[in-house]
Amino acid sequence: MPGRGGGERRHPRTPGPGVSRALLPRGLPDACLLQGERALPAVPEPAGLVLRRAKEALHPLLSVALPLFLGRRGLQLPFRAPIRTVGSCWKRGASTMGVATAPPPPTTSKTLQKQYLEAVGAYQYVLTFLFMGPFFSLLVFVLLFTSLWTFSVVYLVWLYVDWDTPNQGGRRSEWIRNQAIWRQLRDYYPVKLVKTAELPPDQNYVLGAHPHGIMCTGFLCNFSTESNGFSQLFPGLRPRLAVLAGLFYLPVYRDYIMSFGLCPVSRQSLDFILSQPQLGQAVVIMVGGAHEALYSVPGEHCLTLQKRKGFVRLALRHGASLVPVYSFGENDIFRLKAFATGSWQHWCQLTFKKLMGFSPCIFWGRGLFSATSWGLLPFAAPITTVVGRPIPVPQRLRPTEEEVNHYHALYMKALEQLFEEHKESCGVPASTCLTFI
C-alpha cells in the first residue's frame, strides 16, 4: 500500500534502502534501526565489486562505514524524507565486578578477515615498540644533511621547548586510546581485565604491575587504552602507566607514547601526578622493570621485588593506597632465551642494562604467515590482568625504613594471595608458586 509521498511502506524494523546490515553494530536490536534513510540514497554496490570489498575490509579498523551517496544537486542538499527513530533498551552485559568485557568468539568461529585484523593489531604494536623510536631518531638526524633540514630544525626547537612536558603530566589523547586497532590487539590473545574490589575515585593509588614480560602488552592494553573499558570498570580513575624515562628522549616516539597517558618512571614525574588537586590518580608501575624482563620465561612466575621498595616510599609520601596487579599469561606470548645466572652472557645483559636502562632480551614469536616458523608475531596466549584489593597507606612526608619495610611486606603478601586466588582460573597449574628475587 503506498504511503505518504508515494513511497512503499516498510516494516518499522526493516532498514532503509542503501543501509547495509553488515555495517551496523553487532547485537544491535532491529528496533533501533532508522526509518527514512532515503534522505541520502546510497549508490548501489554489487557484492563482488572491488571498491565494496575494500570498504568492508577498512570498516573494522576505522569503525565507520564509507558509503557512496548522492543528494539533491549532487552532495549539496539531502532529499526531504521523514526520519523516525525507534529505540529499545540494550545492555552489552558488562558488570562492575569481574571480567571487564565479554570474551571474543573462539578462533575457530572467527572469519579470516577477523583473524587478519587481529594479527595486524598485534604485529603493529610489536613493530612500534621495537622500531618506532630508533627510526624517527635516525630520520631526524639524516634529514639535517638534506634539503629537508628545516623539518628537523623545527622539530628540534619544538623538542627543546616541550622538554619538560612528560614530567608534567604529558598530553593524553582519548582519540588515540579509543582507536579500533586496540580492540583487535585485545582479541588476538585475548586480553582481559578483572576487577576484584572497588577503587573509589576519592583517593590516589599506586598500582604495582607484575610481571614485566617482554613488552608489557597486557598492561598497555588495559591501562593505556580503552579496549577493555577501564573507565567504565573503574569510574573516576585516571591511569598513568610509568615507563623508562629514556623513551621520552626519542623524537616523535615521545609524543606518541604520551598520547596514551604514559609518563616517565621518575620521582619528579610521579610526584607531580600524585600531587594534583584532583583525586583519582592511578600510577601504574612495572616494579620489576627491565631486570625482570630477563626472567620472562613461559610458564614461570619469577618477580624482581624483594629489594624494590621505591614504589612503597612513593605511596607513603602521598598517602596513596597500594594495589597489587598481576597479569597472567604476560610471559607466554614470546619465547625467551634465558642464560644461567653467573654466565658471561647473563653478565653482558646486566652490564648493558646498567648502561642503557633496558635489557637486551633474546626472544622470538611465530611467523606472520606460518605458525611453525620463527618471527616477531606474538603467540596467541590468553592474558588476564587481575587488579587486587587496595592496601590503605598513611601519608608520611619522610617515611622511616621500618614503615617502608612494613608496607612492603604487606604488599608482597597481598600479591602472593592474589596470585594464589586466581592462578587456576587463569590456566596456571595449582602446584605453581610465585617466586621473589
Side-chain angles (χ1 to χ4, degrees), residues 91-393:
K91 190 174 181 180
R92 190 158 181 160
S95 63
T96 57
M97 298 294 288
V99 182
T101 183
T107 305
T108 54
S109 66
K110 295 178 183 178
T111 64
L112 289 176
Q113 181 186 12
K114 174 63 174 173
Q115 295 180 45
Y116 167 76
L117 293 173
E118 291 177 3
V120 169
Y123 204 56
Q124 67 83 26
Y125 173 64
V126 173
L127 296 181
T128 300
F129 184 94
L130 294 176
F131 303 117
M132 185 175 180
F135 171 78
F136 279 103
S137 299
L138 181 63
L139 180 63
V140 170
F141 176 77
V142 171
L143 288 181
L144 287 172
F145 303 94
T146 69
S147 59
L148 301 176
W149 61 270
T150 53
F151 287 96
S152 292
V153 171
V154 170
Y155 183 81
L156 291 175
V157 171
W158 159 251
L159 186 63
Y160 176 79
V161 174
D162 194 57
W163 189 259
D164 291 332
T165 299
N167 290 321
Q168 297 175 354
R171 283 187 300 273
R172 175 166 151 162
S173 170
E174 295 303 323
W175 181 76
I176 291 291
R177 289 169 54 87
N178 284 278
Q179 285 297 298
I181 198 165
W182 307 124
R183 294 191 288 274
Q184 305 298 342
L185 172 67
R186 172 200 67 190
D187 293 343
Y188 175 78
Y189 295 99
V191 178
K192 299 177 183 178
L193 178 62
V194 176
K195 174 182 178 180
T196 62
E198 295 291 341
L199 299 182
D202 59 353
Q203 56 183 297
N204 294 332
Y205 301 92
V206 174
L207 282 69
H210 314 269
H212 183 281
I214 298 295
M215 297 184 183
C216 314
T217 304
F219 301 120
L220 180 127
C221 191
N222 286 317
F223 299 117
S224 298
T225 77
E226 284 294 332
S227 58
N228 269 333
F230 180 90
S231 60
Q232 284 76 39
L233 202 62
F234 297 95
L237 291 193
R238 191 175 178 85
R240 298 279 188 173
L241 188 61
V243 297
L244 184 66
L247 297 178
F248 295 89
Y249 301 153
L250 303 177
V252 181
Y253 186 63
R254 67 189 290 276
D255 302 285
Y256 179 69
I257 61 178
M258 275 196 292
S259 67
F260 290 91
L262 271 61
C263 66
V265 61
S266 63
R267 177 167 180 171
Q268 179 185 358
S269 171
L270 301 180
D271 283 345
F272 180 89
I273 294 172
L274 294 176
S275 299
Q276 295 300 302
Q278 181 183 0
L279 298 177
Q281 307 294 334
V283 175
V284 184
I285 302 176
M286 266 80 70
V287 179
H291 187 269
E292 195 171 84
L294 297 174
Y295 301 92
S296 302
V297 179
E300 295 189 10
H301 303 269
C302 183
L303 304 183
T304 304
L305 184 57
Q306 284 187 347
K307 298 181 180 179
R308 300 294 177 98
K309 302 178 182 180
F311 71 105
V312 178
R313 291 189 178 89
L314 174 70
L316 282 167
R317 284 201 308 271
H318 295 276
S321 297
L322 286 167
V323 182
V325 180
Y326 199 88
S327 195
F328 294 90
E330 189 70 50
N331 289 343
D332 300 331
I333 62 176
F334 286 108
R335 301 295 179 262
L336 177 76
K337 176 60 178 178
F339 297 104
T341 303
S343 64
W344 69 268
Q345 298 97 329
H346 187 71
W347 179 86
C348 289
Q349 287 180 317
L350 294 179
T351 303
F352 185 92
K353 182 186 72 68
K354 291 179 181 179
L355 294 175
M356 304 299 296
F358 64 93
S359 299
C361 298
I362 301 176
F363 64 93
W364 64 93
R366 50 157 291 183
L368 185 59
F369 302 104
S370 172
T372 58
S373 62
W374 179 93
L376 288 177
L377 183 65
F379 296 103
I383 300 175
T384 303
T385 303
V386 185
V387 181
R389 302 173 184 86
I391 304 171
V393 174

Side-chain angles (χ1 to χ4, degrees), residues 397-416:
L397 296 180
R398 293 179 178 84
T400 64
E401 284 300 316
E402 291 76 14
E403 290 174 319
V404 171
N405 292 336
H406 172 71
Y407 285 101
H408 184 263
L410 288 180
Y411 178 86
M412 291 182 63
K413 182 178 179 181
L415 178 61
E416 188 171 15

